[in-house]
């Protein structure tokens, strides 16, 4: 087996089984790592390549993709810098592994860095599945997302995501021109079977 290139992030890469499927960029939640979402990615898009980095921020032993000051209070400067760093990693990984533009599959903190990629480095993604994402502030400017497909899955009983922050995220992405399908599920912050069914169905339609 050839050695894995050092692209600045600890990561896992699983090559595609058959060509013709958009690679998935797997972005874990707080306290997860690069291994967490691999089974989910393989289940949702069995033949696709999977690229799964580990967030570089360490919050009391829990990996994250950017710093926060408190639950739901993001460190916006850090989010910006980490978004650039992750976008550069995606570009390098695409070259190193010879893969196309990925669709992000982000859960919780991973969904939040995924929308930040969409708003700040939209050229890096072919689409996104944002599970339990939130936008706690109004972004200063919006890119042109030109119909970029986004699936947003949130829970109506999620104690971590206030409803106004998920609604702001849908509205912001739509205002930027993304083609957003938004589903508010009877769920909490955890993944449910319904999330998996909707995500698999949405991916099949891509
Ligand atoms: C975040 O910080 O990204 C959100 O609060 C979700 C979380 O990671 O708990």
């Amino acid at each position: 087996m050839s050695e894995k290139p050092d692209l600045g992030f600890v990561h896992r890469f699983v090559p595609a089984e058959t060509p013709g499927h958009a690679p998935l960029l797997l972005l874990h939640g707080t306290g997860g790592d690069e291994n967490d979402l691999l089974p989910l990615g393989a289940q949702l898009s069995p033949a696709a390549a999977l690229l799964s980095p580990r967030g570089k921020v360490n919050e009391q032993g829990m990996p994250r993709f950017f710093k926060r000051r408190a639950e739901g209070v993001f460190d916006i400067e850090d989010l910006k810098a980490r978004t650039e760093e992750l976008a550069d990693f995606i570009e390098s990984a695409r070259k190193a592994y010879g893969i196309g533009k990925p669709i992000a599959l982000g859960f919780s903190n991973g969904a939040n860095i995924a929308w930040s990629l969409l708003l700040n480095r939209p050229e890096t993604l072919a689409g996104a599945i944002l599970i339990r994402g939130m936008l706690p502030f109004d972004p200063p400017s919006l890119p042109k997302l030109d119909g970029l497909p986004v699936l947003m899955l949130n829970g109506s009983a999620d104690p971590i995501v206030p409803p106004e922050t998920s609604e702001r995220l849908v509205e912001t992405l739509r205002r930027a021109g993304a083609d957003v399908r938004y589903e508010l599920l009877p769920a909490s912050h955890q993944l449910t079977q319904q999330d998996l069914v909707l995500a698999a169905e949405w991916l099949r339609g891509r």
Side-chain angles (χ1 to χ4, degrees):
M1 216 177 121
S2 62
E3 211 167 294
K4 196 151 62 68
D6 174 13
L7 304 171
F9 274 76
V10 174
H11 67 280
R12 299 269 309 266
F13 174 71
V14 179
E17 273 176 28
T18 51
H21 302 269
L24 292 184
L25 172 72
L26 305 174
L27 301 168
H28 63 77
T30 300
D33 67 20
E34 68 280 13
N35 300 304
D36 262 31
L37 296 179
L38 288 174
L40 178 64
Q43 187 185 340
L44 293 181
S45 194
L50 306 174
L51 178 63
S52 188
R54 184 195 301 174
K56 287 191 185 183
V57 168
N58 181 329
E59 188 188 270
Q60 293 167 356
M62 297 186 297
R64 286 176 52 85
F65 285 98
F66 58 88
K67 291 184 189 158
R68 62 179 164 184
R69 301 184 192 286
E71 180 71 66
V73 184
F74 297 173
D75 179 331
I76 295 176
E77 281 311 306
D78 189 68
L79 172 58
K80 250 173 126 173
R82 305 274 176 190
T83 301
E84 291 298 325
E85 196 179 37
L86 183 61
D88 293 344
F89 162 77
I90 297 166
E91 312 247 301
S92 312
R94 283 189 57 194
K95 285 195 196 108
Y97 296 120
I99 56 172
K101 242 183 223 195
I103 293 178
L105 169 63
F107 170 66
S108 189
N109 182 245
N112 295 335
I113 192 88
W115 66 244
S116 186
L117 283 169
L118 289 176
L119 295 185
N120 296 294
R121 293 284 296 270
E123 76 284 359
T124 54
L125 296 178
I129 300 175
L130 308 177
I131 303 180
R132 310 295 185 267
M134 63 195 279
L135 179 47
F137 58 93
D138 276 319
S141 63
L142 295 182
K144 286 199 185 346
L145 292 176
D146 292 332
L148 199 88
V150 176
L151 174 65
M152 256 189 74
L153 301 172
N154 281 72
S156 58
D158 187 336
I160 294 176
V161 177
E164 67 275 13
T165 65
S166 50
E167 280 150 25
R168 186 188 286 115
L169 181 52
V170 190
E171 280 159 22
T172 301
L173 292 171
R174 285 194 175 141
R175 244 185 310 125
D179 175 10
V180 184
R181 174 167 170 202
Y182 176 51
E183 300 284 349
L184 188 61
L185 310 178
S188 179
H189 200 65
Q190 283 72 35
L191 270 175
T192 65
Q193 189 58 29
Q194 220 182 338
D195 288 289
L196 306 191
V197 170
L198 289 168
E201 176 195 295
W202 183 88
L203 274 172
R204 273 196 302 274
R206 298 273 65 80

